[in-house]
Amino acid sequence: MEELAIKIAETLDISVQGAIDIYPVIRSQYIWYEVLTKMALWMVILIIASIIIIGVAGVNRDYTDKFDLRTEKITEEWVSIDKVFKKAILALLVFVVITIAITIVVPFLAPDIMLIKDFMG
């Protein structure tokens, strides 16, 4: 713990006692920072997966006959592909909103970490 306090003191240009005093705050902010950045990474992965699913479902939807010429009704195959397509679009929108929210919230929940990160480059 003392080595960590010395490193924090050197980084922030404060006394070792000051570093020991702010350590709990820095620690909790770092936990928030790590959790939220990992969540943002997973959201980006899910956004990419949603885009791929939208592409595949869109192509399948275009190449699947919508109407059965004999009965003049919409085919079940097209309806199921359309459901996947619409759910993937909804998922994409939700993942984008969550990613934007995480990006906005991180500086508020971990301001000291963001400041240190900006100072260190």
Side-chain angles (χ1 to χ4, degrees), residues 25-83:
V25 174
I26 297 285
R27 190 177 116 226
S28 66
Q29 288 183 15
Y30 183 73
I31 290 169
W32 275 111
Y33 176 79
E34 280 297 309
V35 167
L36 292 173
T37 53
K38 297 288 190 247
M39 282 179 58
L41 175 67
W42 279 105
M43 288 297 119
V44 169
I45 291 169
L46 291 172
I47 287 170
I48 292 169
S50 296
I51 291 170
I52 291 169
I53 291 170
I54 288 170
V56 170
V59 169
N60 282 341
R61 199 173 86 148
D62 288 342
Y63 285 109
T64 302
D65 292 331
K66 183 174 183 177
F67 292 104
D68 186 2
L69 296 176
R70 288 179 279 146
T71 61
E72 294 184 7
K73 292 184 179 178
I74 298 176
T75 61
E76 288 183 32
E77 183 181 7
W78 191 88
V79 170
S80 64
I81 293 171
D82 189 54
K83 284 181 185 178

Side-chain angles (χ1 to χ4, degrees), residues 93-107:
L93 292 175
V94 168
F95 296 148
V96 167
V97 168
I98 291 172
T99 304
I100 291 169
I102 289 172
T103 305
I104 291 171
V105 168
V106 166

Side-chain angles (χ1 to χ4, degrees), residues 5-19:
I6 292 170
K7 287 285 189 189
I8 292 172
E10 289 173 1
T11 303
L12 299 178
D13 196 25
I14 58 175
S15 68
V16 174
Q17 183 59 40

